[in-house]
Amino acid sequence: MAITKLNETEREAALAQLPLWSYDADADAICRNVKFADFAEAFGFMARVAIYAEKADHHPEWFNVYNRVEIKLTTHDAGGVSQRDIDLAKQIDSCR
Ligand SMILES: C[C@H](O)[C@H](O)[C@H]1CNC2=NC(N)=NC(=O)C2=N1
């Protein structure tokens, strides 16, 4: 079944459950910036997230420099934020 993007009401309701995340209208994505003690901590987090992402077949767009990780989630197949992004964000929050 084709994955469809959430409408604004659905997206805002989902984000209300994800206080660490915010909506980036330009990217049509949900975003979270995480800061760690050092690079090893940051990379360990990315390794844990990568396992979830692979299991979900849904992958973050992310940037890492030293102890910072910037994460964007959007669904390319839907052209915006879908339930898959919300679900992966919840799993990412369980990683840190
Ligand atoms: C072919 C493969 O299933 C698709 O490319 C999957 C993989 N991971 C994905 N990740 C994200 N963020 N969006 C997608 O639409 C997506 N599609």
Side-chain angles (χ1 to χ4, degrees):
M1 181 183 85
I3 183 80
T4 55
K5 68 189 278 190
L6 301 175
N7 65 40
E8 189 174 354
T9 307
E10 292 166 330
R11 188 185 66 233
E12 293 308 313
L15 279 170
Q17 309 293 320
L18 291 168
L20 298 171
W21 294 78
S22 56
Y23 177 60
D24 175 343
D26 294 338
D28 205 348
I30 57 173
C31 309
R32 182 182 170 197
N33 296 338
V34 203
K35 193 169 181 179
F36 296 88
D38 54 30
F39 175 73
E41 293 292 313
F43 195 78
F45 165 78
M46 294 175 79
R48 292 194 297 280
V49 169
I51 293 165
Y52 279 113
E54 198 55 17
K55 275 184 190 158
D57 187 27
H58 200 70
H59 305 83
E61 296 168 31
W62 46 8
F63 169 82
N64 160 248
V65 58
Y66 185 55
N67 65 333
R68 291 192 303 112
V69 182
E70 296 174 7
I71 311 167
K72 280 192 192 317
L73 300 178
T74 189
T75 301
H76 315 128
D77 298 347
V81 177
S82 76
Q83 189 59 42
R84 285 188 186 165
D85 302 303
I86 305 303
D87 296 345
L88 183 55
K90 286 176 182 161
Q91 290 183 317
I92 289 171
D93 288 353
S94 74
C95 294
R96 168 58 153 70

